[in-house]
Amino acid sequence: MKLLYITNAINGSGGLERVLAVKASYLADKMGYEVHILTLNGGDKQPFYDFSQNIKFHDITVIGNPFNYLLSYRAGIKKTVKKIQPHIISVCDDGLKGMLFPVLFGKKIPVIYERHVSKQIENSTGSTSLAHSLKIKLKFAVMNVAGSKFHKFVVLTEGNLKEWKLNNIVVIPNPLPFNSGECATLTNKKVLVVGKQSYQKGYDRLLDIWSLVHDKFPDWSLEVYGKLNPTLGLEEKAKQFNIDKSLKFYPPIKDIQAKYKEAAIYVMTSRFEGFGMVLIEAMSYGVPCVAFDCPHGPADIIKDGEDGFLVANGDIDTFAAKLMALMENKALRQQLGTNALKDVNRFNVNEVVKKWDDLFQSLVHLK
């Protein structure tokens, strides 16, 4: 079966890129799919993650004002689709142009939309102005209509499912990207966070939490890996809180597995998510997680009190208390970490990609 993924880029270090690398490579190497990936303005940029050598890559250039951009986007994709003649097209683009794919290109070929983030991302600045609210409502209306045009609309969690009023929607979680069989010892006094610096990831809240924790556990450190954003002023805020000696920000690294293995606790302070890939990555090393119960993802992954802790979104004090409970109690870390290692198996790549294969096969048979 010929499968064409269409996405903006694969050179980033985000969850979408990670998931695409895992899924596409498995389908190409293990299930005999002829997998193609089409990117925009990629040029000679290399993927951040490793993709199978059996995958065929394509790239188109889209430039100019919005009108010319759309024209070059449409022409480039039509040319590529004509060349490949795929049996299935899967659109991995959370932008509006991705949502409008069936409108722009029709539905002669079965087309799937993969939604990798909560609708909350449309309010990524936290603005509460009336004009901004009206803009979001209008955009949501357009997105709901556009989403109904796909053969299937795939979201990652049960929480995401509730955001959309669609009859063509289905839930398929992200697959676990690695399963080394190794476990963290949970003895290093390190707390780990992975993700780009942004409003979404809530690192301002992370600093508030660490400021409550630091004085009581001065021998612990907090390490944050992800794309840096100096405009957020996080390092300056850390200095103001006098926590800069125990908290360090690092750019993304490819061998993030080594950092999971070194960690004793993983925390997620996001305001919203599409899934929470980093949670299952940490759990695969037996690292217990503390996360805000944000929309959406953590509640689908963490069993509160069994393999980690879920905290009401924005409750800084309770989050700090749960984190400190793990920091001071190695036995609790080990108990939750052991359960996490078992529970995370439900995201095994074999099981998750089997769901994708079933979906693809069902759509091909509709033709």
Side-chain angles (χ1 to χ4, degrees):
M1 184 188 298
K2 293 182 184 180
L3 172 61
L4 172 61
Y5 286 105
I6 299 177
T7 190
N8 288 319
I10 55 173
N11 61 296
S13 59
L16 189 153
E17 293 90 342
R18 165 82 84 180
V19 171
L20 185 56
V22 173
K23 272 191 317 196
S25 297
Y26 191 96
L27 288 164
D29 294 343
K30 303 291 187 181
M31 306 193 75
Y33 276 67
E34 181 180 315
V35 179
H36 298 256
I37 297 178
L38 172 64
T39 54
L40 314 181
N41 298 326
D44 296 327
K45 297 175 183 176
Q46 295 300 306
F48 185 85
Y49 298 109
D50 294 329
F51 284 77
S52 166
Q53 294 183 350
N54 293 321
I55 296 173
K56 298 176 175 63
F57 296 93
H58 312 263
D59 188 73
I60 60 174
T61 301
V62 287
I63 56 175
N65 59 46
F67 181 74
N68 289 332
Y69 182 99
L70 192 61
L71 286 179
S72 57
Y73 174 74
R74 190 169 186 271
I77 289 180
K78 289 187 72 174
K79 181 178 179 180
T80 305
V81 169
K82 184 177 180 180
K83 175 184 176 182
I84 298 171
Q85 296 188 3
H87 299 107
I88 298 283
I89 296 174
S90 190
V91 181
C92 308
D93 178 357
D94 290 320
L96 194 56
K97 69 181 185 305
M99 291 287 299
L100 294 173
F101 191 90
V103 178
L104 295 172
F105 300 99
K107 297 170 61 177
K108 291 183 179 180
I109 299 171
V111 59
I112 297 167
Y113 184 79
E114 299 186 28
R115 184 71 180 179
H116 285 263
V117 71
S118 166
K119 274 187 175 182
Q120 296 296 321
I121 197 173
E122 303 303 334
N123 191 21
S124 59
T125 63
S127 174
T128 57
S129 71
L130 178 60
H132 188 70
S133 297
L134 291 174
K135 180 182 177 181
I136 289 177
K137 286 182 179 180
L138 177 60
K139 192 170 185 178
F140 282 174
V142 172
M143 290 166 69
N144 278 322
V145 173
S148 68
K149 304 299 181 183
F150 288 88
H151 288 84
K152 284 294 179 181
F153 191 101
V154 181
V155 294
L156 302 175
T157 70
E158 294 297 327
N160 293 125
L161 186 69
K162 298 172 184 177
E163 291 185 326
W164 301 89
K165 298 179 181 179
L166 301 172
N167 295 323
N168 58 342
I169 198 165
V170 62
V171 178
I172 302 180
N174 281 338
L176 188 62
F178 37 72
N179 190 6
S180 67
E182 297 181 281
C183 290
T185 64
L186 308 184
T187 56
N188 296 324
K189 295 181 178 182
K190 289 184 180 181
V191 178
L192 179 66
V193 181
V194 180
K196 65 183 178 181
Q197 295 182 3
S198 64
Y199 173 81
Q200 174 193 353
K201 299 302 181 183
Y203 290 161
D204 54 323
R205 311 198 298 184
L206 176 66
L207 267 59
D208 290 337
I209 292 165
W210 195 247
S211 69
L212 298 175
V213 170
H214 170 72
D215 288 341
K216 296 180 181 179
F217 297 88
D219 52 342
W220 280 70
S221 64
L222 173 61
E223 296 183 356
V224 185
Y225 289 84
K227 186 176 180 181
L228 306 177
N229 184 354
T231 64
L232 295 178
L234 295 173
E235 292 190 359
E236 182 59 34
K237 186 175 181 180
K239 290 179 181 178
Q240 292 173 2
F241 284 177
N242 197 29
I243 56 175
D244 55 304
K245 296 294 190 297
S246 63
L247 186 161
K248 298 297 180 184
F249 292 101
Y250 301 96
I253 60 172
K254 290 195 71 171
D255 187 22
I256 195 63
Q257 294 97 311
K259 300 305 173 183
Y260 287 121
K261 192 177 177 182
E262 294 173 1
I265 304 167
Y266 187 90
V267 299
M268 175 187 276
T269 55
S270 297
R271 289 180 166 87
F272 53 88
E273 281 289 341
F275 182 69
M277 192 75 167
V278 289
L279 295 177
I280 64 172
E281 290 177 1
M283 291 169 69
S284 75
Y285 280 88
V287 178
C289 301
V290 185
F292 280 130
D293 187 9
C294 66
H296 293 284
D300 286 59
I301 297 171
I302 296 174
K303 297 177 181 178
D304 185 37
E306 295 183 25
D307 56 22
F309 289 122
L310 280 175
V311 180
N313 200 8
D315 187 343
I316 302 294
D317 291 337
T318 300
F319 198 111
K322 295 295 185 181
L323 176 55
M324 288 188 286
L326 286 172
M327 293 168 77
E328 68 184 2
N329 191 333
K330 180 184 175 183
L332 181 61
R333 295 199 300 273
Q334 291 177 329
Q335 177 189 337
L336 269 58
T338 298
N339 292 338
L341 190 61
K342 295 176 183 177
D343 292 343
V344 79
N345 281 328
R346 66 190 188 276
F347 301 107
N348 182 285
V349 64
N350 301 326
E351 300 299 322
V352 173
V353 178
K354 177 62 167 60
K355 295 179 180 180
W356 279 106
D357 180 49
D358 290 343
L359 177 59
F360 295 149
Q361 297 292 346
S362 69
L363 292 178
V364 166
H365 293 151
L366 288 177
K367 294 181 66 177

